[in-house]
Amino acid sequence: QVQLVESGGGLVQAGGSLTLSCAASGSIFSINAMGWYRQAPGKERELVARIPSGGITNYADSVKGRFTISRDNAKNTVYLQMNSLRPEDTAVYYCNALVTNYYHTSFRYWGQGTQVTVSS
């Protein structure tokens, strides 16, 4: 089993910054893609940013130039640096990881979510 534990959410004023972290632990042989999704009230969950084990990151158009995703493979941790936050960024942010276990079987896991609230 694999656990994803997120941290770093909170309340911030518009224009401010927050950094989210997500640490994976458990039966991990390797982690392929990691990413952040968000879900605002009354809306569907959407991709915010994604970072594969190697290769090019991708971002939702709404966050390009403001958010930066990165990962520390030694710590099995993914980060989301969020700058110039806007009220429309308010949502629950979820970490996601595609993990291969020691049986070389891959599963997708989700974190429990962390609330980000941006006040105007």
Side-chain angles (χ1 to χ4, degrees):
Q1 190 60 282
V2 172
Q3 296 79 40
L4 301 181
V5 178
E6 299 139 341
S7 60
L11 173 64
V12 64
Q13 289 188 334
S17 299
L18 283 174
T19 300
L20 305 182
S21 300
C22 171
S25 62
S27 181
I28 299 171
F29 176 77
S30 65
I31 301 179
N32 305 311
M34 301 186 81
W36 290 94
Y37 291 71
R38 67 186 181 187
Q39 187 167 19
K43 295 187 177 182
E44 294 186 354
R45 190 173 298 188
E46 62 175 0
L47 174 69
V48 176
R50 180 179 178 272
I51 182 168
S53 58
I56 301 174
T57 56
N58 60 288
Y59 297 89
D61 288 342
S62 59
V63 307
K64 283 181 180 176
R66 301 188 296 123
F67 291 10
T68 302
I69 189 170
S70 62
R71 60 190 284 176
D72 184 335
N73 292 327
K75 296 181 179 180
N76 289 334
T77 300
V78 63
Y79 305 94
L80 185 67
Q81 173 67 43
M82 304 184 293
N83 298 325
S84 302
L85 283 161
R86 305 167 180 169
E88 54 264 38
D89 294 318
T90 295
V92 178
Y93 284 69
Y94 297 91
C95 174
N96 176 273
L98 181 60
V99 177
T100 299
N101 60 25
Y102 291 101
Y103 299 99
H104 298 282
T105 303
S106 297
F107 296 96
R108 188 174 300 279
Y109 294 91
W110 290 93
Q112 79 283 0
T114 185
Q115 177 70 45
V116 172
T117 302
V118 184
S119 63
S120 57

